[in-house]
Amino acid sequence: YARALELEPDFPRYVNDSAMLINYYLDPEGKRKEEVEAMFKKAWTLGKEAYENPFTDEGEKTVHFSAYTDALVNLGRFYLMENRLDQSKQMLEELLPVAPDRWEVILLQRVLAGDLPPERVILFKKALGGTEMTEEELKNLQQSLRKQSRNQE
C-alpha cells in the first residue's frame, strides 16, 4: 500500500486501507494514532466527495462509496477503542443513513447502545482485525458505556 499511496496519494481506498493496516497490524503500540486518524478522515472526505461528484463514472462511484463508508466504519471503531464514544457515535450517525445494513454498522450501533455484553466488545475488536482488549481497556470502555447509558436516561 505504501507504493500505491506513492502513486495515488488521494485515492480513498488506498488511504483507508493503509490506515487500517497501520492501525491494526503495523503499530501495535499505538504510536501512530494521530496519523491513522488523519488518514481515515482523509479517506472519508475523498471518498464522499468522489462518490457525490456527478461527473464520477458509475463504476467508480461504487469503489468510492465503499472507501467512504469503510473509512467511517474504521473511524467509528477507532474512536470506540480509544474510548471516544461521542466521536464514535458521530461516525455511526453518518453511517446509518447511507449504510444501515452493514454488519459493522449494526454491531457498532449495538455496542454503543450498550446492548451487547462486555465480552462481545472483545469479540468486536477481534472481528475488526485488532488484538484482544486488555482488562483495563475493557473496564474503561464498560464504564464509559454505562455512564453514557445513564446520561441518556
Side-chain angles (χ1 to χ4, degrees):
Y1 277 95
R3 180 70 174 135
L5 276 178
E6 222 175 88
L7 297 172
E8 292 189 70
D10 292 328
F11 189 66
R13 170 59 54 211
Y14 298 157
V15 176
N16 176 74
D17 291 359
S18 295
M20 192 172 69
L21 288 171
I22 293 167
N23 191 45
Y24 295 123
Y25 301 106
L26 302 177
D27 186 34
E29 294 86 32
K31 295 178 181 174
R32 297 171 67 182
K33 288 180 182 181
E34 289 179 16
E35 175 188 4
V36 166
E37 181 179 8
M39 289 175 76
F40 283 143
K41 286 180 176 181
K42 179 179 180 179
W44 167 22
T45 302
L46 291 170
K48 184 176 182 177
E49 287 173 357
Y51 173 71
E52 292 177 346
N53 184 334
F55 301 107
T56 299
D57 174 77
E58 284 304 313
E60 288 292 307
K61 278 189 183 260
T62 302
V63 171
H64 293 304
F65 180 77
S66 175
Y68 151 50
T69 56
D70 284 356
L72 284 171
V73 166
N74 287 324
L75 268 170
R77 296 173 184 167
F78 177 83
Y79 292 138
L80 177 68
M81 294 307 141
E82 290 296 305
N83 207 14
R84 293 161 60 181
L85 302 180
D86 288 340
Q87 289 170 294
S88 186
K89 277 191 169 191
Q90 288 174 348
M91 297 304 100
L92 180 63
E93 288 169 9
E94 289 278 337
L95 279 160
L96 284 171
V98 295
D101 297 328
R102 279 186 64 160
W103 71 268
E104 303 99 321
V105 175
I106 294 166
L107 194 53
L108 183 62
Q109 184 177 29
R110 293 195 58 207
V111 168
L112 287 169
D115 292 341
L116 292 177
E119 57 272 13
R120 292 298 300 263
V121 175
I122 293 172
L123 296 175
F124 178 69
K125 187 170 183 184
K126 280 185 177 180
L128 304 177
T131 57
E132 280 193 36
M133 295 180 83
T134 65
E135 286 297 316
E136 185 177 336
E137 288 174 323
L138 180 58
K139 280 185 205 173
N140 289 339
L141 184 56
Q142 288 171 322
Q143 289 171 350
S144 294
L145 289 169
R146 278 191 220 105
K147 181 181 175 185
Q148 185 175 9
S149 179
R150 283 192 300 266
N151 288 343
Q152 289 176 354
E153 293 173 356

